[in-house]
Amino acid sequence: MRADADFLRSIPKVELHCHLEGAVPATTAIALACKNGIILPTYDPELLYTFADLPEFLTVYRAVCASMVTARDFAEIAYAAQEEGVRTGNLRYRELFVNPTNHHVPYPEMLEGIIDGLRCAEEDFGVVGRVIPAINREQSPSMARELVEAVIEYRRDEVLGIGLDHNDALGPPELFVDAFQVAANAGLRRTAHAGEIDQRDQVIDSIELLGCERIDHGYAVMSDPVAVEFVRDAGTHFAGCWSSCAWFHPGLPQHSLPIAAMLRAGLPVSINSDDPPMFGTGIGNEYVLAGKTLGWTRAQAIQAAVAAVDGSWMDASDKAALRREIEDVMHTA
Ligand code: ADE
Ligand code: ZN
């Protein structure tokens, strides 16, 4: 039986690739900027999230980051992001990226706010939130190392690992070997954005040099069968994002997107929303886009949701419970 949009939205979901600061609606970002006296490129909510390419997108993203200043700001955006995921896509568990070095707020203060918001959302909606501080690769390797040291010094159970994001054309993995090694020694899990547009070798380098068990995006591997075999052998999970992939591969029809090719090739790929309001999407909508484009049956849609559980950094018993919850949908729907 084909999975229709209601079914795709209703599946209990795990999300592995969503940026907290990218999950803020334009109206909220503008309200925060006004409250905190922060300059934005525009105060028109219809225009704030307009950009032509990745560098322009990241410029807007950093301006939005700057608009969050107090622990309460972080608590409110974390709570609202989780609520929206539950409302629009039956989100059950999410690992959220945050870019601490894009803010002028001490890491512990920001983190306490985020954890507070995530805990309140868990109490109110039953959705679990975890945190992945991400290195901004456009900043220096020494800033990256300092961030990892802060994460280790101010350790909280909600923080599972580290990420690496921003423009991969500007900050290759080899610059961050030291920071990732320090993280590995402290038992932190590791993922990195790589191969979002091109830079195929960065996918391989992130696995080999940084020890990443997951890659965010990674679409560029699809241009080389040898790279595909490499990532298959490595068992790498890809945290893909349909809408942002479409955005940064303009002109390609939905069924020709590299994320579609990855799914068709049977790679371990999860479906995620990246920066939902910035790309006009949400976790439920991402499943609708993927499922409709690829003509998923209900069983295939369930399989995709389970792939996200498999790629997550939950412990084994939580994974088993969520897998059961997802697979139960087949019997109850
Ligand atoms: N930070 C937030 N969204 C991102 C993306 N799509 N690529 C790189 N860095 C990001
Ligand atoms: Zn991302």
Side-chain angles (χ1 to χ4, degrees):
M1 189 188 213
R2 288 255 174 263
D4 65 14
D6 286 345
F7 181 83
L8 290 161
R9 282 199 191 88
S10 73
I11 299 171
K13 293 183 188 66
V14 162
E15 183 163 38
L16 309 180
H17 183 166
C18 177
H19 301 261
L20 174 66
E21 301 96 324
V24 179
T27 48
T28 307
I30 290 165
L32 285 172
C34 291
K35 171 177 88 71
N36 293 321
I38 303 297
I39 293 170
L40 289 178
T42 170
Y43 296 85
D44 181 342
E46 300 297 317
L47 295 180
L48 183 61
Y49 293 158
T50 46
F51 37 84
D53 53 21
L54 184 60
E56 269 190 28
F57 162 80
L58 289 166
T59 300
V60 177
Y61 176 85
R62 281 189 294 270
V64 171
C65 287
S67 69
M68 297 146 206
V69 173
T70 67
R72 191 169 179 80
D73 294 343
F74 285 94
E76 286 178 2
I77 60 166
Y79 180 91
Q82 295 295 81
E83 180 179 19
E84 181 70 0
V86 172
R87 191 178 66 77
T88 61
N90 197 14
L91 183 70
R92 303 285 295 110
Y93 171 94
R94 182 186 255 164
E95 294 173 7
L96 270 166
F97 289 117
V98 61
N99 282 113
T101 59
N102 283 5
H103 302 272
H104 303 284
V105 185
Y107 173 68
E109 195 177 321
M110 159 186 331
L111 184 62
E112 285 313 318
I114 296 168
I115 290 174
D116 184 26
L118 294 178
R119 286 192 181 160
C120 289
E122 183 170 351
E123 269 170 38
D124 290 354
F125 312 115
V127 59
V128 172
R130 296 289 179 257
V131 183
I132 307 177
I135 293 166
N136 175 346
R137 69 197 322 150
E138 296 181 36
Q139 297 170 340
S140 66
S142 60
M143 276 183 86
R145 187 180 165 132
E146 277 166 31
L147 170 60
V148 173
E149 284 167 349
V151 171
I152 294 165
E153 190 185 340
Y154 198 76
R155 198 80 188 250
R156 300 291 258 116
D157 290 344
E158 284 82 356
V159 176
L160 303 180
I162 60 158
L164 176 68
D165 65 1
H166 282 61
N167 191 346
D168 57 4
L170 300 180
E174 58 263 31
L175 294 179
F176 302 101
V177 169
D178 178 42
F180 271 68
Q181 190 58 55
V182 172
N185 293 345
L188 289 163
R189 313 292 292 262
R190 283 151 292 153
T191 185
H193 285 53
E196 183 169 5
I197 296 171
D198 38 34
Q199 314 288 338
R200 179 182 63 221
D201 291 349
Q202 295 206 5
V203 176
I204 312 293
D205 287 351
S206 300
I207 296 166
E208 287 197 319
L209 303 179
L210 305 183
C212 289
E213 54 198 290
R214 256 176 18 206
I215 293 292
D216 302 297
H217 306 297
Y219 319 120
V221 289
M222 296 315 287
S223 62
D224 176 10
V226 176
V228 172
E229 278 326 294
F230 177 90
V231 297
R232 255 194 228 284
D233 289 348
T236 306
H237 177 93
F238 290 89
C241 310
W242 196 281
S243 294
S244 65
C245 178
W247 197 279
F248 294 127
H249 294 82
L252 285 184
Q254 296 276 317
H255 64 268
S256 301
L257 291 172
I259 188 173
M262 283 174 120
L263 285 158
R264 271 195 223 99
L267 288 172
V269 179
S270 54
I271 307 283
N272 305 274
S273 63
D274 210 355
D275 305 278
M278 298 188 78
F279 292 108
T281 191
I283 183 63
N285 188 54
E286 293 293 287
Y287 274 69
V288 174
L289 291 170
K292 291 271 166 197
T293 305
L294 297 170
W296 279 347
T297 60
R298 287 185 168 201
Q300 285 174 310
I302 296 291
Q303 240 176 41
V306 169
V309 178
D310 295 342
S312 78
W313 293 340
M314 275 179 250
D315 66 29
S317 63
D318 290 342
K319 280 187 175 180
L322 253 168
R323 270 193 212 105
R324 265 197 308 277
E325 194 184 328
I326 294 168
E327 282 161 359
D328 274 354
V329 173
M330 258 335 246
H331 312 297
T332 51

